[in-house]
Amino acid sequence: MSNKPKVSGFMNYLRKERIPTIFCAGCGNGTVINTFFNAMEMAELSLDNISMVSGIGCSSRIPGYIKCDSLHTTHGRPIAFATGVKLGNPDMDVVVFTGDGDAAAIGGNHLIHAARRNLDLTVICVNNSIYGMTGGQISPTSPKGSFASTTPYGALEAPFDLAKLVSGAGATYVSRWTTVHPLPLSNAIKKGLQNKGFSFIEVISQCPTYFGRKNRMRSAVEMMKYMKTHSVVKKKAKKMSEEELEGKIILGDFVNRNWPEFSEMLCEQVNEKSEKGLIDAIKSAYKTDL
Amino acid sequence: MNITRFFIQGNEACARGAIKAGCKFFAGYPITPSTEVAEDAAIILPKEGGTFIQMEDEISALGAVIGAAWAGVKGMTATSGPGFSLMQEHIGYAAMTETPLVIVDVQRGSPSTAQPTMASQSDMMQARWGSHGDYEIIALVPSSVQECFDFTVEAFNLAEKYRVPVIVLSDEIIGHMREKINIPDKVEIIARKMPEEGPETFLPYKAEPDGVSPMPPFGAGYKIHVTGLTHDERGYPDASNPETHTKLVKRLCNKILNHRGELTRVKELYTEDADIIVVSYGAPSRSAITAVKNAREKGIKAGHIKLEIVWPFPEEIIRSAAQQASDIIVAEMNLGQMVYEVERVVKSDAEVSLLPKIGGQIHRPEEFLEMIYKCQK
């Protein structure tokens, strides 16, 4: 498999009639979509069998532009809906697009519980450290001291380290990259799609419109330069002191382990208990003879 | 057809009804007095090839049921007041996205956590108006264990027929009461409709004349977009367009309201010549019927209407009752909820009196009789 992105082919994956997107100029979501398609091809998966679930926020609009079955749900709850999609039809590849507000604030509980269950979902969390859709409010991943419309005098709260949180909760594949690292990011999404279990890919992304403007980085390019100069791969970070790591974005795989997956265990249990087995239940809503 | 007799609780009967109706997915969260619905589903569903999952809260429980519906299986959840409050946002989402599902709400003393082990009928208006916005749902109220079974089956069928969330408004008395019931081998099942058109031309939110669209499952090649935002016939967001919004929300309401006739389900007793009609639903109907029979024995022309489908409200039945009777007594285990609907429909055609009861206990027949005597004067 080649790691070279096939940009021209990707257009066929989009609902072209919905273009242009609502995303601002310079938004990281375009890179996320691009890297996802690249990852999907590398993982040899097809949009025919992928269901996308998203919550509320800018990155949660991504599935609406992709030609696949997509469920744009309520704020913070996409992982709960995705749990139903996966258990309703365990043959499907279920991908969740979410943001930092969606996954870490209002939906934090669903995030850690799905990780604890090790349910086979691939969660792509686009973390831009701000509430973009509502106009630039502080988020649980905004750095201490950063400015937002609801922290006009600077944020006092410490941010969540999402990759660590989800690793601790029991996810079996956890990786963090930024939008200036498209190839390793594609590779991480690919690994996430291939992992049979709960996969969490945190994408540090830029929101020049709100985060940038309020924090003295007025262009996307400036923000991307910041991400490039402030990120350290995990291997290197291990050799650095806490002071040296202050304000740095640590990149790489945090967890990659082989633990029993929930839907598989559940299927086994159901097959053990019933004569028909779970396979019979798939798309059973369309049957009258059960 | 074989019929098996069981001596079980109302809550168990709901779970059995669901499974007979083709439910293959249950996501729940423990809450008194509804927990037995989940416990029974947890035992039986896997044996029937279905899945049960205990979620982290009621919000995610209903979210998972909606997800499972789009994956192509019929699903349900069960809860009580506090959990029902948490589910409200997703009830609105299910109404907006036309996702068929069933919720059993075993009502307990309210508001807040109030009386976990005592009965009430205090979620009647919440079932109708609980989520923000204009929308319609269907709600059934069982008054016996047999009805818990029958109405849950019916709830699944109505959910599919109208692509709408259907709520079974049980209560702690009916939920925990044990009675003998008959469970048939097979029940009539309404299957979800697949589109006849192929994915190239199918418009997922272009309804058929009855206001309901076929619903293809995820993974069937239709690649549909489902959103809680105002959407056009393709399912695509069109949130700032007043016409799209008006058309969509009116259709969502009218697909229920235009079928009020089919969705009217009441049981009448002695209403043909009644001067005084008691209107009740659920548990209090049991003592109301005893009281009305007692009144008849005493020569009083009393009658009874038991509401079985409460939402949409059976306007025609109540309107014609008011044209005949001089008095209508509305008995409910709350401080007055459905009485507002009765008053709205009756207008000045009859005198409407409320017989409220809170605290967790059912009305006694004497309380009905006292009210009937009062109306006689």
Side-chain angles (χ1 to χ4, degrees), chain A residues 268-288:
Chain A
E268 256 172 55
Q269 198 177 55
V270 170
N271 291 342
E272 214 174 274
K273 293 284 164 205
S274 75
E275 283 169 23
K276 300 168 185 169
L278 198 62
I279 287 298
D280 212 59
I282 290 176
K283 293 178 187 159
S284 59
Y286 300 84
K287 299 175 195 162
T288 51

Side-chain angles (χ1 to χ4, degrees), chain A residues 15 17 48 51 61 69-70 72 74 77 80-81 84 92 110 117 266 270 274 278 281 283-286 288-290, chain B residues 22 24 46-47 49-51 56 59 64 68 72-73 90 93 189 192 215 217-219 223-227 229 236:
Chain A
R15 300 189 213 258
E17 64 276 27
D48 292 344
S51 285
R61 291 298 190 96
D69 290 308
S70 48
H72 177 225
T74 55
R77 322 296 176 196
F81 286 76
M92 302 252 273
H110 313 305
R117 291 184 189 107
L266 194 68
V270 170
S274 75
L278 198 62
K283 293 178 187 159
S284 59
Y286 300 84
T288 51
D289 193 27
L290 296 161
Chain B
K24 294 287 184 198
K47 294 180 187 168
T51 38
E56 52 274 14
I59 301 170
V73 297
H90 285 173
Y93 181 85
I189 290 178
R192 194 168 295 170
M215 178 179 167
F218 283 7
K223 297 186 177 171
I224 50 176
H225 185 55
V226 180
T227 178
L229 289 168
Y236 294 166

Side-chain angles (χ1 to χ4, degrees), chain A:
Chain A
M1 265 292 147
S2 150
N3 268 13
K4 204 174 149 210
K6 294 173 226 162
V7 179
S8 59
F10 292 174
M11 275 310 283
N12 295 326
Y13 297 145
L14 296 172
R15 300 189 213 258
K16 289 191 201 82
E17 64 276 27
R18 290 213 63 214
I19 307 293
T21 69
I22 60 160
F23 306 139
C24 302
C27 174
N29 283 348
T31 309
V32 177
I33 295 174
N34 189 297
T35 50
F36 175 81
F37 289 151
N38 193 26
M40 182 182 80
E41 289 190 350
M42 288 194 289
E44 294 179 356
L45 295 184
S46 151
L47 286 177
D48 292 344
N49 199 53
I50 290 177
S51 285
M52 290 191 180
V53 188
S54 63
I56 298 295
C58 298
S59 55
S60 287
R61 291 298 190 96
I62 289 174
Y65 298 112
I66 299 176
K67 223 186 270 170
C68 67
D69 290 308
S70 48
L71 193 60
H72 177 225
T73 70
T74 55
H75 193 25
R77 322 296 176 196
I79 293 172
F81 286 76
T83 300
V85 174
K86 184 67 190 177
L87 298 182
N89 185 352
D91 294 341
M92 302 252 273
D93 301 307
V94 184
V95 177
V96 173
F97 278 95
T98 183
D100 43 311
D102 203 53
I106 186 166
N109 203 26
H110 313 305
L111 176 67
I112 56 174
H113 282 277
R116 172 180 67 82
R117 291 184 189 107
N118 192 30
L119 178 66
D120 186 19
L121 303 175
T122 304
V123 177
I124 299 167
C125 178
V126 183
N127 178 0
N128 59 8
S129 304
I130 200 98
Y131 282 72
M133 188 69 89
T134 46
Q137 295 77 33
I138 205 74
S139 118
T141 60
S142 307
K144 216 170 185 176
S146 59
F147 294 94
S149 67
T150 47
T151 53
Y153 312 115
L156 304 174
E157 298 172 26
F160 256 137
D161 182 330
L162 288 183
K164 262 192 192 166
L165 174 76
V166 178
S167 301
T172 44
Y173 179 70
V174 177
S175 192
R176 182 196 286 134
W177 294 94
T178 81
T179 48
V180 290
H181 300 87
L183 289 179
L185 174 59
S186 283
N187 209 36
I189 297 173
K190 179 197 85 174
K191 285 201 240 170
L193 290 169
Q194 287 174 332
N195 173 45
K196 185 81 189 157
F198 191 84
S199 306
F200 184 79
I201 296 101
E202 182 182 355
V203 188
I204 308 295
S205 183
Q206 73 278 12
C207 173
T209 306
Y210 290 112
F211 191 88
R213 200 166 57 182
K214 288 181 191 294
N215 292 280
R216 294 190 206 95
M217 286 183 280
R218 287 181 181 270
S219 73
V221 174
E222 224 176 307
M223 295 193 78
M224 292 171 86
K225 275 184 184 159
Y226 179 91
M227 289 194 281
K228 193 136 210 175
T229 52
H230 285 73
S231 42
V232 183
V233 289
K234 218 178 120 210
K235 224 177 183 177
K236 202 174 159 197
K238 269 188 181 163
K239 295 176 195 151
M240 291 165 71
S241 69
E242 236 172 79
E243 292 80 54
E244 284 173 310
L245 284 172
E246 183 72 37
K248 293 282 190 296
I249 306 162
I250 302 170
L251 306 177
D253 287 356
F254 287 75
V255 156
N256 194 355
R257 55 195 169 200
N258 192 8
W259 284 359
E261 191 274 325
F262 180 73
S263 71
E264 228 166 43
M265 289 190 290
L266 194 68
C267 285
E268 256 172 55
Q269 198 177 55
V270 170
N271 291 342
E272 214 174 274
K273 293 284 164 205
S274 75
E275 283 169 23
K276 300 168 185 169
L278 198 62
I279 287 298
D280 212 59
I282 290 176
K283 293 178 187 159
S284 59
Y286 300 84
K287 299 175 195 162
T288 51
D289 193 27
L290 296 161

Side-chain angles (χ1 to χ4, degrees), chain B residues 85-99:
Chain B
S85 292
L86 287 177
M87 288 180 182
Q88 293 304 321
E89 187 185 5
H90 285 173
I91 292 175
Y93 181 85
M96 189 64 155
T97 55
E98 301 177 73
T99 308

